[in-house]
Amino acid sequence: MSIVVVGSVAYDTVETPRERRERQLGGSASFFAVAARGRGTVRCVGVVGDDFRDEDLDLLGRHADIAGIRRVPGRSFHWSGRYHADLIERDTLATELGVFADFQPDIPADWRDAEYLFLANIHPALQAGVLDLMRGPRLVALDTMNLWIETTGDLLRDILRRVDVLLVNESEARLLTGERSLARAAAAIREMGPARVVVKKGEHGALFFGRDSTLAVPALVLDDVVDPTGAGDCFAGGFMGSLAEAGVGRDAPDAAFRQAMIDGTVTASFCPEGFSVEGLLKVDDAAYAARLRELRGMMTP
Ligand code: AMP
């Protein structure tokens, strides 16, 4: 199965109470691609500037098909953020779209029949451009953020009508719907289009609102958090990877999506253990299995 992802391929400057890292590999599509690796063929659509290092493209290319990432003159998307002492709250210091500002998405012809499409966090016009080019994927999921909800809400609501699963964090769910209760917010989102909604709650885990069931999955309790940037995208990578590996389409019962919630949670747990994609790259079958056991243990009375 193949998964097409469009999203930011970026440089992130991240400051934590302990350390500052300048222009390291980041972006929603990058985290997603590395997180979903091994569960299907991940095909990335995006753009980088001529400042993007070969070694970073090579790294992505080891885990995903990057023929859809164009390199053009200009600066790569750059995001910069500073974490508070709790390593949860963060302030965005800069979001520089760079070459993403004039990017017109194009997808290699033989990618348009991909079964899965993930519209990772990026301007909704780019998400829509990619969705328009696809020929009937079995499942379309979308992630977004407060910036786009606030500045491009109408565009976002147009796309949501064509999406099967929306993944958002709790404040975004509230912002999008005006509802305080997450149950009500999820119900309102389901009326906008997506039959299933995943509400990510950071260190408190994630909620799934399906056609006829609800599931709460706690996050793993980590000994050491280095940099949580990208954990939401890694959740999405594990979630979509799980669905693609199992061949789950939009008509499948909630049970298949509930399993994907577990895989998303386990995958995301590795992300905060390192800067950039370093934590994710340490995952092997044994580490994954151990964490899955730990999560099951946390959920068993
Ligand atoms: P997360 O920690 O899951 O919210 O994801 C952070 C990642 O999202 C970073 O790697 C950023 O480069 C990327 N990012 C931040 N802001 C935006 C934005 N406005 N559009 C697209 N990607 C973004």
Side-chain angles (χ1 to χ4, degrees):
M1 296 286 178
S2 59
I3 311 172
V4 166
V5 55
V6 60
S8 51
V9 180
Y11 278 144
D12 290 347
T13 297
V14 176
E15 221 178 288
T16 69
R18 264 188 276 175
E19 212 176 326
R20 175 187 159 88
R21 292 276 188 111
E22 279 285 326
R23 302 184 87 81
Q24 53 179 6
L25 175 64
S28 52
S30 311
F31 282 109
F32 177 91
V34 179
R37 76 192 197 277
R39 293 180 179 272
T41 310
V42 184
R43 304 187 189 284
C44 294
V45 178
V47 65
V48 293
D50 47 18
D51 57 343
F52 211 75
R53 297 176 291 258
D54 286 341
E55 69 205 61
D56 291 324
L57 274 182
D58 290 349
L59 191 158
L60 284 178
R62 280 198 289 281
H63 304 292
D65 191 340
I66 56 168
I69 300 183
R70 269 192 279 151
R71 194 190 226 154
V72 301
R75 302 281 283 171
S76 299
F77 183 105
H78 178 231
W79 175 81
S80 136
R82 181 185 296 137
Y83 283 90
H84 297 195
D86 59 8
L87 273 162
I88 297 168
E89 291 290 317
R90 72 181 181 204
D91 301 318
T92 290
L93 304 178
T95 302
E96 294 151 10
L97 291 182
V99 291
F100 263 106
D102 322 294
F103 177 57
Q104 301 286 336
D106 189 24
I107 314 184
D110 55 336
W111 289 15
R112 297 181 185 189
D113 292 316
E115 294 86 356
Y116 295 86
L117 175 62
F118 186 64
L119 304 168
N121 178 29
I122 193 69
H123 194 296
L126 298 182
Q127 295 178 316
V130 170
L131 181 53
D132 288 342
L133 292 171
M134 297 294 290
R135 285 188 287 257
R138 297 173 66 169
L139 190 85
V140 180
L142 180 143
D143 190 355
T144 189
M145 68 181 296
N146 49 1
L147 174 67
W148 310 124
I149 297 170
E150 281 164 354
T151 60
T152 57
D154 289 346
L155 206 50
L156 191 59
R157 271 181 281 276
D158 280 349
I159 316 176
L160 282 179
R161 280 193 233 119
R162 303 156 68 196
V163 163
D164 304 302
V165 185
L166 175 70
L167 296 100
V168 275
N169 68 34
E170 51 187 322
S171 63
E172 293 156 357
R174 293 187 174 115
L175 185 65
L176 182 61
T177 60
E179 296 284 1
R180 233 219 75 76
S181 142
L182 291 177
R184 285 214 184 120
I189 292 168
R190 294 185 68 230
E191 299 227 322
M192 294 178 190
R196 276 125 180 164
V197 181
V198 176
V199 179
K200 297 170 285 177
K201 292 164 55 89
E203 54 156 5
H204 299 299
L207 299 173
F208 168 78
F209 296 92
R211 289 219 164 104
D212 45 35
S213 73
T214 302
L215 177 72
V217 181
L220 275 301
V221 183
L222 302 175
D223 286 343
D224 194 24
V225 171
V226 175
D227 170 18
T229 308
D233 308 307
C234 294
F235 180 98
F239 180 86
M240 286 296 278
S242 175
L243 296 174
E245 197 171 40
V248 173
R250 63 177 63 82
D251 297 327
D254 278 354
F257 292 84
R258 294 164 71 93
Q259 178 57 47
M261 289 291 292
I262 303 288
D263 288 320
T265 300
V266 171
T267 305
S269 74
F270 293 98
C271 175
E273 295 185 319
F275 279 99
S276 181
V277 294
E278 289 163 9
L280 278 184
L281 292 176
K282 289 196 196 124
V283 187
D284 58 18
D285 289 349
Y288 191 93
R291 232 167 238 187
L292 189 56
R293 276 196 303 277
E294 198 182 323
L295 180 63
R296 291 219 174 98
M298 283 174 60
M299 296 171 76
T300 310

